[in-house]
């Protein structure tokens, strides 16, 4: 059994990406309480690296003049910062806390940890579509898609230039795609970290 199965998952992938909902495989499934789900959602939504990540997205949007109605200058950057951070915050709160609680689904990502790269990548990708319910059975990941749909609907209130069905659909796919990439990173990060640590220690 790999050593990382016996240790809790890192709180952050690459030192930046919040990783509070990643779990190692359990021999006996243990469901989360509503409080535990909301705690995970809150930690992933308000962890301090997200404030810097929101700033990076805002800077990129400022350069490309996304949401042009915000304008430029300090005011435009502040509005983009609030909007970009809000997108991430609402997405996390709904997909990891609110919807899993209402729909009785488990928001955690359970690492496969062993097997070929292809199988583990597919496992990470499939997590966007399949999750455990609170009884441990597999179910369609309604929390992911309905949660991000709710977050996108809220974002229409402050993304003034993208209030149409096409933009909302694209945003939904983008949000779910970001979550999929995040799961792939979470699946392989312990392996990458272990190899980097060995190299830093001079271990072959």
């Amino acid at each position: 059994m790999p050593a990382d199965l016996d240790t809790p998952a890192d709180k952050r992938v690459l030192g930046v990406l919040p990783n509070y909902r990643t779990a190692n495989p359990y021999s006996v499934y243990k469901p989360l309480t509503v409080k535990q789900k909301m705690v995970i959602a809150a930690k992933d939504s308000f962890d301090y690296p997200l404030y810097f990540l929101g700033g990076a997205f805002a800077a990129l949007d400022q350069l490309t003049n996304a949401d042009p109605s915000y304008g430029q200058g300090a005011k435009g950057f502040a509005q983009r910062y609030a909007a970009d951070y809000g997108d991430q915050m609402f997405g996390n709160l709904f997909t990891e806390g609110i919807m899993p609680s209402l729909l009785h689904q488990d928001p955690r990502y359970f690492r496969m940890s062993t097997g070929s790269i292809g199988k583990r990548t597919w496992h990470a990708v499939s997590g966007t579509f399949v999750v455990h319910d609170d009884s441990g059975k597999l179910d369609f990941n309604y929390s992911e898609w309905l949660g991000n749909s709710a977050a996108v609907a809220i974002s229409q209130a402050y993304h003034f230039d993208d209030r149409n069905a096409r933009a909302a659909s694209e945003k939904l796919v983008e949000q779910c795609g970001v979550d999929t990439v995040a799961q792939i990173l979470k699946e392989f990060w312990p392996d990458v970290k272990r190899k980097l640590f060995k190299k830093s220690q001079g271990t072959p």
Side-chain angles (χ1 to χ4, degrees):
M1 179 180 292
D4 58 71
L5 286 183
D6 298 321
T7 57
D10 286 354
K11 292 181 179 180
R12 300 182 188 91
V13 173
L14 301 174
V16 177
L17 182 68
N19 195 31
Y20 293 96
R21 68 167 170 165
T22 300
N24 290 325
Y26 292 125
S27 56
V28 178
Y29 179 77
K30 298 179 180 179
L32 298 176
T33 64
V34 170
K35 179 179 179 180
Q36 288 173 321
K37 294 174 184 179
M38 293 306 299
V39 167
I40 289 174
K43 286 182 176 180
D44 270 354
S45 299
F46 301 108
D47 195 24
Y48 76 86
L50 284 180
Y51 298 112
F52 298 103
L53 189 61
F57 283 132
L60 179 61
D61 286 347
Q62 188 93 339
L63 287 173
T64 58
N65 199 33
D67 290 297
S69 61
Y70 290 157
Q72 290 292 319
K75 182 179 179 180
F77 178 81
Q79 289 180 307
R80 289 184 175 89
Y81 180 90
D84 288 331
Y85 178 78
D87 289 346
Q88 300 302 314
M89 179 191 68
F90 287 122
N92 288 336
L93 288 176
F94 275 99
T95 61
E96 300 178 21
I98 297 172
M99 287 301 176
S101 297
L102 293 175
L103 301 174
H104 304 288
Q105 293 190 320
D106 195 319
R108 289 174 293 182
Y109 171 67
F110 292 91
R111 295 182 60 241
M112 187 175 181
S113 187
T114 60
S116 68
I117 292 177
K119 287 182 178 180
R120 292 175 66 186
T121 300
W122 173 247
H123 172 75
V125 171
S126 65
T128 305
F129 302 94
V130 181
V131 292
H132 292 282
D133 62 21
D134 286 342
S135 67
K137 297 179 181 179
L138 294 178
D139 192 12
F140 180 77
N141 197 346
Y142 294 105
S143 297
E144 172 71 19
W145 292 89
L146 293 180
N148 275 320
S149 294
V152 169
I154 292 173
S155 76
Q156 297 280 289
Y158 52 82
H159 284 292
F160 309 120
D161 302 289
D162 294 322
R163 290 175 172 172
N164 56 72
R166 178 178 178 180
S169 299
E170 291 175 350
K171 188 68 174 179
L172 173 61
V173 172
E174 177 185 319
Q175 289 282 82
C176 292
V178 168
D179 290 344
T180 301
V181 173
Q183 288 177 170
I184 295 173
L185 290 174
K186 292 172 181 180
E187 175 66 34
F188 291 103
W189 169 242
D191 306 281
V192 173
K193 181 181 178 182
R194 188 164 53 247
K195 290 182 179 180
L196 291 175
F197 180 78
K198 286 183 178 180
K199 286 183 179 181
S200 67
Q201 297 296 318
T203 305

